[in-house]
């Protein structure tokens, strides 16, 4: 099992854009070979923690390098506080 931890905080003005892409990326992740699960936690202060579990390094790499996922990450770059 490989676990990816993604910690972020959305800019208030980016909620809509993130909200449009997030369900698409969740659906895509679930369709990937080796996908096991993912969970998202949001703290009271708005910080987000996403845990994504894949079968092994190779299947996690396939997800990390998937063209649609890479495009979403580029689009989301402006959504997150630095």
């Amino acid at each position: 099992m490989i676990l990816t931890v993604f910690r972020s905080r959305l800019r208030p003005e980016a909620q809509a854009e993130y909200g449009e892409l997030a369900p698409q990326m969740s659906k895509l992740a679930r369709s990937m070979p080796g996908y096991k699960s993912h969970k998202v936690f949001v703290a009271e202060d708005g910080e987000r923690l996403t845990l994504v579990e894949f079968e092994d390094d190779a299947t996690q790499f396939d997800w990390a390098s998937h063209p649609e996922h890479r495009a979403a990450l580029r689009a989301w770059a402006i959504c997150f506080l630095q």
Side-chain angles (χ1 to χ4, degrees), residues 18-29:
Y18 182 84
E20 290 176 20
L21 279 175
Q24 295 172 28
M25 289 302 101
S26 291
K27 183 178 179 181
L28 179 62

Side-chain angles (χ1 to χ4, degrees), residues 37-50:
S37 71
H38 75 276
K39 295 180 181 179
V40 178
F41 303 91
V42 181
E44 289 179 15
D45 66 358
E47 185 173 4
R48 305 171 63 82
L49 182 70
T50 304

Side-chain angles (χ1 to χ4, degrees), residues 23-69:
Q24 295 172 28
M25 289 302 101
S26 291
K27 183 178 179 181
L28 179 62
R30 287 190 301 273
S31 75
M32 297 292 296
Y35 168 86
K36 296 294 183 190
S37 71
H38 75 276
K39 295 180 181 179
V40 178
F41 303 91
V42 181
E44 289 179 15
D45 66 358
E47 185 173 4
R48 305 171 63 82
L49 182 70
T50 304
L51 305 174
V52 186
E53 182 183 359
F54 280 91
E55 188 173 297
D56 53 33
D57 287 332
T59 57
Q60 192 277 342
F61 178 81
D62 290 345
W63 166 244
S65 59
H66 190 283
E68 288 180 61
H69 182 226

